[in-house]
Amino acid sequence: MSRSNTATLRRLDYPIATIHGPDGGYRLGAGKTLPPLQFDHDQALAIAVALQTAPSTMFGLGDDAARALATLHRVMPPTLRAAMESLRLTRLQNYWEFPAPPIDPAALTTVGTAVRHRHVLVTEMLRPDGTRPEPGDPDFLPAHRIEPHHLVVWAARWYLVAYDLTDRRWRVHRVDRLHPRPTTQHFSARALPDDNLAHFVMSTHDRGDTPAAWPCTGTARLNLPAHVVAQWAPGGSVVEYLDTEHCRLTLGAWSWAGIAGILATFDTELSELHPPELVHACHRLVHRWGGIAHPLGPSPE
């Protein structure tokens, strides 16, 4: 290492130790402060995602993560700053933070960039396993042109609020279920479907959710509207609209009793439970709970 290079590194606050002797020279050491860092595009994407989603997985990090993101934003060169800005998102809290499938960083970058620049996307729907159905397959859907407006993270899943130019209506898409293709067609901002995007995403039942992989999966008809159940259902569950006052919920858990317990949290009438193992689990819980002694005597009707 030359003296000029050593001087440059020291000006940048990198600690350089001088080693004396026949085998001496210069050695990059550990310092007390963080020296300037360099990130490529993928690293900038990882940092933007990590700093914005960390507060949803660990308490007390919200302010620190926001300050760290702002600090990095100020020192980033324009190209990397654009990559980070493309992933500005809304993060929502959910009481059931079940694991979510991994998301393709390339797809996330494509969607985030289109949101930032207001460019129309051409999207195709993927199967839950991430494969693309071919024309003629039962689950094949033609490509749609959409106006991507906002990214939202909820229940560890990434959602896109977009206006569908094909269906002429607002939609909520699971980003991991999209195969997006960028265009250079610009669109103008529309009046959003709800002043509260969090409420819009949480209360939209047809947002592309699919049942997560669990040892047990069951369904039940609930005497509640779909938009209410969708707001409180676990991540990785599916809410099907039946009519204005009823919906069907499909969800998974580690046991049949686990599913029965989650259904009980909705505090409503249940019917059409499947499979039989779920029905048996509900009966067992009723028997078990019915035997719990009330500390103050019989409860009032």
Side-chain angles (χ1 to χ4, degrees):
M1 184 184 299
S2 69
R3 290 180 180 273
S4 60
N5 289 338
T6 302
T8 299
L9 289 173
R10 281 175 170 160
R11 283 197 302 271
L12 292 173
D13 292 331
Y14 284 92
I16 306 296
T18 302
I19 309 299
H20 300 284
D23 298 323
Y26 299 100
R27 182 173 62 191
L28 186 64
K32 297 181 180 178
T33 59
L34 186 67
L37 303 176
Q38 293 184 350
F39 301 105
D40 59 25
H41 180 278
D42 292 337
Q43 290 172 326
L45 170 65
I47 291 172
V49 171
L51 288 176
Q52 293 186 84
T53 57
S56 67
T57 58
M58 185 175 295
F59 293 112
L61 289 184
D63 292 340
D64 293 334
R67 289 192 301 109
L69 192 63
T71 299
L72 287 171
H73 182 271
R74 287 195 298 268
V75 300
M76 286 286 181
T79 54
L80 296 187
R81 189 180 302 126
M84 296 181 72
E85 288 178 348
S86 68
L87 291 177
R88 295 287 182 180
L89 52 91
T90 296
R91 185 182 62 254
L92 310 178
Q93 182 64 40
N94 181 261
Y95 292 102
W96 308 95
E97 293 288 349
F98 288 161
I103 188 168
D104 181 8
L108 190 58
T109 300
T110 298
V111 172
T113 301
V115 169
R116 179 171 179 266
H117 294 290
R118 289 184 180 169
H119 284 171
V120 170
L121 283 173
V122 177
T123 59
E124 297 176 59
M125 295 300 300
L126 301 176
R127 296 188 179 97
D129 62 3
T131 59
R132 294 169 61 186
E134 299 293 334
D137 292 346
D139 49 358
F140 173 79
L141 294 173
H144 281 217
R145 299 177 65 83
I146 64 173
E147 296 175 351
H149 280 259
H150 202 80
L151 278 169
V152 174
V153 173
W154 183 53
R157 286 154 178 82
W158 291 75
Y159 296 93
L160 172 65
V161 178
Y163 184 80
D164 193 311
L165 295 170
T166 304
D167 291 341
R168 298 294 178 184
R169 69 185 183 97
W170 285 96
R171 298 283 304 272
V172 176
H173 294 282
R174 275 271 295 272
V175 178
D176 61 299
R177 297 290 310 281
L178 292 179
H179 176 70
R181 299 199 306 269
T183 74
T184 57
Q185 180 184 347
H186 185 269
F187 66 87
S188 300
R190 295 177 182 266
L192 294 173
D194 195 317
D195 291 337
N196 187 340
L197 278 183
H199 179 268
F200 180 68
V201 171
M202 291 188 296
S203 61
T204 298
H205 69 277
D206 58 342
R207 53 185 175 235
D209 285 329
T210 55
W214 288 97
C216 303
T217 302
T219 65
R221 176 188 172 104
L222 280 66
N223 285 18
L224 286 173
H227 71 272
V228 173
V229 175
Q231 184 170 351
W232 303 107
S237 59
V238 176
V239 180
E240 178 187 354
Y241 175 92
L242 297 178
D243 57 44
T244 56
E245 299 299 328
H246 302 84
C247 67
R248 179 171 288 107
L249 176 62
T250 301
L251 73 160
W254 49 91
S255 67
W256 296 113
I259 298 177
I262 295 174
L263 290 173
T265 65
F266 287 94
D267 193 21
T268 187
E269 299 298 320
L270 305 174
S271 61
E272 300 178 14
L273 276 70
H274 297 284
E277 290 85 350
L278 176 56
V279 178
H280 297 329
C282 290
H283 290 168
R284 288 196 303 273
L285 289 180
V286 169
H287 177 74
R288 187 175 302 155
W289 291 337
I292 299 175
H294 197 285
L296 302 178
S299 59
E301 294 295 333

